[in-house]
Each structure stands twice: as structure tokens, then as C-alpha cells.
Amino acid sequence: MEYVLTILPILMKGLKLSLTVYVIVISLVFPLATLAAIGKVSGPRVLKRILFLYTWIWRGTPLLLQLFFIYFGLPYFDINLSPLVSVIIAFVLNVGAYETEIIRAGIESIDKGQYEAAKALGMTNVQTMRRIIIPQTIRRVLPATCSEALLTFKDTALVAAIGMGDLLRSAKEVVTTDFRITAFFIAFIIYLFISSILVLVFSRLERKYSIYE
Amino acid sequence: MMDHMEYILNILPFILSGLKLTAKIYVATLVIALPLGLLAAIGKVSGSQFIKKVLFLYTWIWRGTPLLLQLFFMFYGLPVIGIRLSPFAAATITYALNYGAYLTEIFRGGIESIDKGQYEAAKALGMSYAQTMRRIIIPQTVRRVLPTTCSEAVNLVKDTALLAVLGMPDLLRIATQIFTRDFNITPFVVAFVLYLIISSVLVKLFGKLEKMYSIYE
Amino acid sequence: MTMMIRMYIHKYFGSLHVLKGVSLEVTKGEIVAIIGPSGSGKSTLLRCMNQLERIDQGFIEIEGIVVEAAGDIDVKITATSQEVRATYRKMGMVFQSFNLFPHMTALGNVMEAPISVNKVTKAAAVQIAEKQLAKVGLLDKKDAFPSKLSGGQKQRVAIARALAMNPDIMLFDEPTSALDPELVGEVLSVIKKLAQEHMTMLIVTHEMGFAKEIADRVIFMDEGEILEDSVPKEFFENPRHPRIKTFLEKML
């Protein structure tokens, strides 16, 4: 028990990093993915092709490879970013690709009649998107987005692979240094605790927004 | 350009040998995780209270924590308490338990989505619970969860890359080693292309599988 | 006259008393129509007969064998569980929402129980199934999946499926309520055929004209009680209970 108290500060520091990365990533992803999804649905041909390639490559290859590429590979092109920035870029690109597809599917699932009604009322394309389609899409994609957000939280553990001191890495270092398995158990509990809280928060959110379905 | 091509041809054999390990772990995982998921789902639906509780804990913990943590636990944690497994065994067990947990929930959701009327019709015809599950419920469940199961199978390809972090010579690790040795990003690009090809081929194959099984919908 | 069914049932859904001491006797070859407003307990009554719902107090006796007994009564189950199971198999049921097995063809649906439950060979099951499908007029659809059949066809396959088990008693739980009006007739003709063959049947239905035409007895249920049990002529022309009068006026 005393041992747990001695290692807890180290693990908490790691947790802080994990959560920092997480919060920054999910705040950036949603707006960017929405734009990309709209681009995929109603953009010019060139844009659609580029976005198609983007989501195809970023969803079809491992996050870890993308992380390695941005973190280790970019310096090859003389692009030197801080670890935190490269990690955030890698995550935003990866999660963004999945979220773009989720939102795109959501937009496409909105009945064509909605567009027709808006057009008949004289609304422009932009107004239709902004006032009619996107608000409905947000409610519709909320479940898938929330489970994506949950997965992302667990994926933050991958930064341990590039040496960043997140919760997982801190736990591993304690275990290999002290040769005691306790830190892993604590890490399990902390991750489980946070992911369970996220699950509760997201279910509340989903329930609140599905009142009109 | 020619140097590039030559270079790629030089490193390709090494990278492909990494692919072999990736494929082995992939197949071994699915072979264990799929039946595990199905049995656990049936257990969750019709098992005793004790079994249900145990399975709930299983899926809660294995889906609520990162795969990498589970791998670290198996690789670095178990030796501390005296359990030494071969890297392949440790990796396969971890992936199988992790994916088994997700598949359990997928199958369970599928079973629970089958209309209660199916159970009633089977009961009215005199079928036992086991017969009902085996002949009526599970066949429909498998068809229903096929898309989700297939996308999990595609995810597994990408998750195998985590082996690189544990020092196992999979596709990603070998590509990284070559990169570090030659300070050339080509191996990363090759890795990107290979993963992309594999996942795209699987997506196409699974799409065909899904179409085959949706004839009666 | 062979007694097919005897029962006395009290049933509760939570605190709601849905069947208030319902007592019923059905003899062989009788066709009993059960009608009444929604919530009267008529479907529940039917479902209690083949154990889809459990009774809270009372008993159920089928072909002389007590299959269920509950609460503070003198009747006890004396048969073995095997005999009880065999007795339940003498009843077939047709559901409002058909409940066909979507992953099997029509033939497959009808063949399934004879093979799994009665342990007949596949070849024998095919013969039984084809015979029953022919009886309901759907032999040409034997290889079709339920998703390709109309509602009326689905229900007829469901009837064939139940008949393939050679029941002595057929239970129909609002067999045509989920059908489009133009499809109701084909299902009623099949039921009429069974009536002509003197199959013992209990039919919960809203089809008053049909009940009048084929039923030997009409039972009116309301709020968990049987208010009247008489022959169709008397029932429709001279109902005794005022609630029945109001109900018939609404329906016709």
C-alpha cells in the first residue's frame, strides 16, 4: 500500500500528459473532420479525390506507423517538430480520417427531402448545410463519434512507443526499475476508471441529444 | 529513380519477412478470438449469474484499457511475477483476449438483436433452448454481425503493428530498423504501401463475403 | 366427446391482474373464436396455454394430462416432464407477426422442427414439408426466403410449419392482424380448410365475419374475464352483456 503511494505521483504525471494529448486532439478533430466531410460530400472533384486518398491511407494503415513516420521520418525532410506537436498532428490526422468518414456517412444518411424542402423555401446551399443538415448530422453521428473518442483515449497510450512520458510509459518504467508488477495494475485501474467515466459522460450526451429521434 | 527502385528491391525481402510474423500473429489471433467471442457471448446471454459476472469483468477490463498496456503487462509484467512466455505466445494470448473481448460484445449485441418472436416460434414448435440457439439464433446472429466483425478483422491488421514496440520483428519494426540504419524514409513508405494493400484487399474480400451472406435479407 | 383443453387461470403482470380466474373447456374438433377489446387478455390466455407465459394460479390440462399447476389448488402435475413436453407438442401456434426463420427457405422453415424435434430423416421431412406447403397452396414457393414472400404467404408458411408437427390443437394469435386487407382472405381460406377437417382450434381474432362463419363457439373477453361464451348466432344477434353490444357496434 505504501508502495502504491510512492509510485502514484509518477503515474499521475504520466496521466497528465495522456490527458493533455487527448483533450487537444479531440478538440481539434471534430471541426476539422466536419469540414473534410463537407468537402467530401459537396466539394470540387479535386478536393474529393484528395480527401478520398487521405481517408483511405490514414484509415488503412496503422496509427503507430503514422506516428513513427511523423516523429522519426519528418526530420528527414528537415522538418523538426517538438514531440508533443508531432504526436498531436499524427493523432489529429488519424482520428480525423475516421471521424471524417463517420460524419460523411451521417450527412449522406440525411434524407434528400430535407435538401428539397430547404431549396423550395429558397435557402442557399450554405444555409441548408449550416441550419438544416449539419445540426441533424451531429445528433445522428453522436454515438459513432463517442465510441471513436473512447478508442482515441486508449490510443494515446501509443505515445509511450516514442518515448513520451505518458501514463503507460511511466508505468512501464516503474515496473522495470522496481521489478514489481504493481504499477501495471495501477495503470490498468486508472485507464479503466477514466474510460468508464468517459463511457458514462458519452451515454449521457447521447441520451440528451437523441430526444427528438 | 533507378537507385530508388534498386533500394526498394534490396530492402523488400527484409520487410516481407516481417510481414510473415505479422500474418502469423494475425491468423493465430483470429483463430482463437472468434470462437472465444462467440462462446463468451452465449455465456453472457444464457449463462449462470457467476459466469455472467466473470464475463462482464473480462469485457470491461479488456475493452476499457489500451492494447499496448495489455501487451506491456504480458511482456514486461508477467516475468516479474515469475511467468515466462515465449514472445509469440505472449503476443498471441494478449491479442486474442483483447479482440475476444470486443468480439464478445459484438456477438452479444447481435444475439440480443434477434426478435423475441424467433424464440417463441421455436419454443412453440417444441425445440429446446440449445436447438433454438444452434439452429435459429446463432446462424442469424453471425449474418447480422458479419460487417462489424469484418471491420474488427481489418483493425487487427493495423493493431499488429504494436508488436514493433515490443521488439518483435514484425513489418513495422523491420521497416523502422532499416530507416534508422539508412536514415532513408523509403522503408516507411514501403510499409505504408504494404499495409494499405493488405487492408484494402481484406476490405474487398470481406465485402464479397458480406454480399454472399446477405442474400436472404 | 374428448376433452382437449381444460383450464383455470389467474395471471398477473406485476400488479396488473390480466387473467381473473379464466375458466375454459374445449372439446375435440371445436373451433373457438376469442374476441374482445385490446388489453382484454385474450392473447395472454392463448400464450399461457403453450407455456409462452406462465400462470400464477390455477391449472392447465391438455388431452387429460395436467401440464401446469400453480398456487393453492387441488390439481397436481402427475406426468413426467417428458410426458408434459410431449403433450405441449400436440399444440401448434401461429403468431401475429409470423416469426418465420429468415435464414431458411419456406421449405427449410417447415422442415426444421420435424428434424430437430421429431428426429425424422431429412428425406422424410422434405416429404412432410412439401405436403403441408401444398396444403396451404405454396408448394411453388418452397425455395423462397421469407423476405421474398408477401405477408399472406408468410403467414401461410407459418401455418404449414405448425401443421408439419402434426398437432391435435392449433392456436392462432390474431393471425391476420398484421396483414394488409387484401391478403387477409388467403390466410382465412387456409384456416377454413383446417376447420373443415375438424382440427381443434382456438383463434384470437378481430375478423368478426370470419368468426361468425367458422366458429362453433365465440368467447368474449374483457378486462381479464370471459363475459360470454355462446354459439355465433346467439352471440352476434343477441349478446347478453352490454359491453359486448358496445364492442360489436364499434367493430361492425
Side-chain angles (χ1 to χ4, degrees):
Chain A
M1 209 35 219
E2 261 182 49
Y3 178 65
V4 169
L5 291 171
T6 50
I7 61 172
L8 216 50
I10 309 172
L11 297 177
M12 282 299 146
K13 191 151 173 257
L15 178 60
K16 205 171 109 182
L17 180 65
S18 300
L19 289 175
T20 310
V21 171
Y22 183 61
V23 168
I24 297 179
V25 167
I26 53 174
S27 344
L28 290 173
V29 164
F30 199 75
L32 291 175
T34 309
L35 287 172
I38 296 178
K40 257 201 165 193
V41 167
S42 35
R45 260 259 186 97
V46 173
L47 186 60
K48 279 188 186 171
R49 286 227 176 96
I50 295 176
L51 288 169
F52 172 78
L53 273 174
Y54 161 56
T55 53
W56 183 47
I57 295 174
W58 255 266
R59 293 191 320 152
T61 53
L63 170 56
L64 195 58
L65 169 57
Q66 298 159 16
L67 205 55
F68 276 18
F69 181 77
I70 293 182
Y71 187 73
F72 296 123
L74 285 191
Y76 177 78
F77 296 111
D78 286 329
I79 306 175
N80 286 297
L81 303 160
S82 79
L84 188 62
V85 173
S86 19
V87 156
I88 290 179
I89 292 180
F91 271 99
V92 167
L93 284 173
N94 178 283
V95 180
Y98 286 94
E99 188 60 22
T100 301
E101 280 305 292
I102 290 173
I103 299 179
R104 184 186 61 83
I107 293 178
E108 290 181 351
S109 77
I110 305 292
D111 189 60
K112 296 292 163 262
Q114 297 288 301
Y115 294 89
E116 294 178 355
K119 190 170 182 184
L121 289 164
M123 295 170 82
T124 66
N125 278 338
V126 173
Q127 284 174 324
T128 308
M129 266 305 186
R130 207 159 46 87
R131 305 280 303 162
I132 310 295
I133 306 298
I134 297 299
Q136 290 185 60
T137 307
I138 292 179
R139 282 179 179 82
R140 207 167 272 201
V141 302
L142 204 53
T145 303
C146 287
S147 52
E148 191 59 42
L150 216 56
L151 285 170
T152 306
F153 174 64
K154 285 176 270 174
D155 280 341
T156 57
L158 260 60
V159 305
I162 53 171
M164 284 186 80
D166 76 319
L167 173 54
L168 179 57
R169 185 165 192 87
S170 321
K172 179 184 173 232
E173 303 212 314
V174 172
V175 167
T176 45
T177 314
D178 297 350
F179 208 64
R180 285 179 70 162
I181 204 177
T182 319
F184 275 152
F185 283 127
I186 309 286
F188 263 107
I189 294 174
I190 296 178
Y191 273 113
L192 199 54
F193 181 67
I194 297 185
S195 64
S196 304
I197 291 183
L198 285 175
V199 167
L200 276 160
V201 167
F202 289 145
S203 327
R204 266 250 174 91
L205 207 65
E206 282 173 45
R207 229 173 301 148
K208 188 170 149 208
Y209 276 94
S210 70
I211 38 166
Y212 83 101
E213 281 292 343
Chain B
M1 195 56 206
M2 275 327 280
D3 306 320
H4 254 103
M5 276 317 291
E6 246 191 75
Y7 181 65
I8 292 179
L9 288 171
N10 267 333
I11 61 173
L12 208 52
F14 295 106
I15 297 191
L16 287 177
S17 74
L19 182 55
K20 232 175 32 174
L21 178 65
T22 301
K24 264 190 183 171
I25 301 258
Y26 182 78
V27 171
T29 301
L30 284 180
V31 161
I32 301 175
L34 283 168
L36 172 62
L38 187 58
L39 286 171
I42 296 178
K44 262 201 166 195
V45 166
S46 33
S48 65
Q49 282 291 65
F50 177 69
I51 291 186
K52 280 186 185 170
K53 284 206 176 98
V54 168
L55 289 170
F56 171 78
L57 273 173
Y58 164 55
T59 53
W60 185 45
I61 295 175
W62 256 268
R63 294 192 322 150
T65 52
L67 174 57
L68 195 55
L69 168 58
Q70 296 161 16
L71 283 166
F72 273 20
F73 180 80
M74 288 289 196
F75 271 73
Y76 304 118
L78 287 190
V80 169
I81 56 176
I83 305 176
R84 293 197 173 277
L85 297 163
S86 77
F88 186 82
T92 307
I93 293 176
T94 315
Y95 278 104
L97 284 174
N98 180 284
Y99 271 74
Y102 284 95
L103 288 171
T104 301
E105 284 303 293
I106 290 171
F107 285 128
R108 184 184 64 83
I111 293 177
E112 290 181 351
S113 75
I114 305 292
D115 187 61
K116 294 292 162 264
Q118 295 290 299
Y119 293 88
E120 293 186 351
K123 187 170 184 184
L125 288 165
M127 294 170 80
S128 70
Y129 185 72
Q131 282 175 329
T132 308
M133 272 311 220
R134 209 163 34 91
R135 303 280 306 161
I136 311 297
I137 307 299
I138 299 299
Q140 290 183 61
T141 304
V142 168
R143 282 172 179 85
R144 205 168 271 200
V145 303
L146 203 54
T148 317
T149 306
C150 288
S151 84
E152 282 298 313
V154 176
N155 279 342
L156 181 55
V157 175
K158 293 173 265 170
D159 275 341
T160 57
L162 264 57
L163 293 168
V165 185
L166 304 164
M168 289 184 78
D170 78 315
L171 173 49
L172 176 59
R173 181 162 189 83
I174 300 208
T176 313
Q177 282 173 335
I178 300 178
F179 163 82
T180 325
R181 183 193 69 187
D182 300 346
F183 203 58
N184 187 329
I185 60 145
T186 313
F188 276 149
V189 176
V190 172
F192 262 105
V193 170
L194 281 173
Y195 275 114
L196 199 54
I197 292 177
I198 297 171
S199 62
S200 305
V201 164
L202 282 178
V203 166
K204 272 248 154 67
L205 275 174
F206 288 143
K208 280 228 169 91
L209 196 68
E210 288 169 39
K211 215 168 278 184
M212 244 174 48
Y213 273 92
S214 69
I215 39 162
Y216 78 85
E217 285 291 346
Chain C
M1 267 207 307
T2 326
M3 183 61 64
M4 278 296 183
I5 307 176
R6 272 201 323 142
M7 74 182 90
Y8 173 74
I9 301 177
H10 275 280
K11 176 148 181 72
Y12 296 83
F13 279 135
S15 55
L16 191 64
H17 200 175
V18 291
L19 291 175
K20 301 172 181 162
V22 174
S23 185
L24 186 61
E25 282 181 4
V26 180
T27 57
K28 185 166 172 162
E30 266 197 306
I31 298 161
V32 180
I34 305 176
I35 63 177
S38 353
S40 54
K42 34 188 217 300
S43 282
T44 311
L45 181 66
L46 216 67
R47 290 160 62 88
C48 284
M49 286 185 215
N50 68 351
Q51 256 202 338
L52 287 178
E53 303 281 357
R54 308 306 298 261
I55 63 176
D56 293 306
Q57 199 195 336
F59 74 94
I60 299 176
E61 186 192 274
I62 297 169
E63 294 188 13
I65 298 183
V66 176
V67 288
E68 183 132 3
D72 190 18
I73 46 163
D74 290 331
V75 184
K76 292 279 176 275
I77 301 178
T78 50
T80 63
S81 54
Q82 220 153 324
E83 288 172 331
V84 169
R85 269 202 303 269
T87 310
Y88 273 121
R89 271 186 237 144
K90 302 221 179 105
M91 286 195 294
M93 186 159 196
V94 173
F95 300 85
Q96 184 177 346
S97 48
F98 333 127
N99 292 339
L100 287 183
F101 304 135
H103 58 307
M104 299 177 180
T105 59
L107 190 69
N109 261 273
V110 182
M111 273 170 57
E112 179 60 33
I115 296 177
S116 324
V117 183
N118 287 346
K119 313 285 188 218
V120 306
T121 63
K122 193 161 173 213
V126 172
Q127 280 200 341
I128 295 172
E130 289 185 344
K131 179 167 156 214
Q132 297 304 337
L133 281 172
K135 188 172 189 163
V136 302
L138 284 172
L139 188 56
D140 59 329
K141 293 277 185 212
K142 64 180 174 147
D143 293 321
F145 283 98
S147 59
K148 299 283 186 280
L149 300 173
S150 75
Q153 291 169 329
K154 283 198 267 236
Q155 193 62 298
R156 286 190 278 154
V157 172
I159 295 175
R161 181 176 65 175
L163 290 175
M165 292 298 282
N166 221 354
D168 296 331
I169 305 166
M170 281 287 274
L171 305 172
F172 291 88
D173 188 0
E174 303 203 29
T176 58
S177 298
L179 297 176
D180 291 334
E182 67 267 19
L183 300 172
V184 169
E186 64 195 64
V187 174
L188 294 182
S189 330
V190 170
I191 302 181
K192 214 184 288 190
K193 223 195 227 179
L194 292 176
Q196 283 159 358
E197 293 169 9
H198 302 294
M199 165 76 78
T200 312
M201 300 195 284
L202 281 90
I203 312 175
V204 173
T205 184
H206 288 301
E207 296 286 328
M208 297 299 142
F210 183 67
K212 207 172 179 182
E213 197 188 328
I214 68 159
D216 298 316
R217 268 160 78 191
V218 179
I219 290 178
F220 183 84
M221 280 187 74
D222 192 10
E223 293 185 6
E225 295 177 303
I226 294 182
L227 293 186
E228 182 147 346
D229 181 351
S230 52
V231 292
K233 192 159 177 332
E234 254 191 58
F235 180 88
F236 286 102
E237 288 173 21
N238 236 347
R240 271 173 268 150
H241 216 281
R243 264 188 265 169
I244 302 180
K245 269 215 184 94
T246 342
F247 176 76
L248 288 177
E249 272 160 28
K250 266 198 229 142
M251 295 294 298
L252 297 171

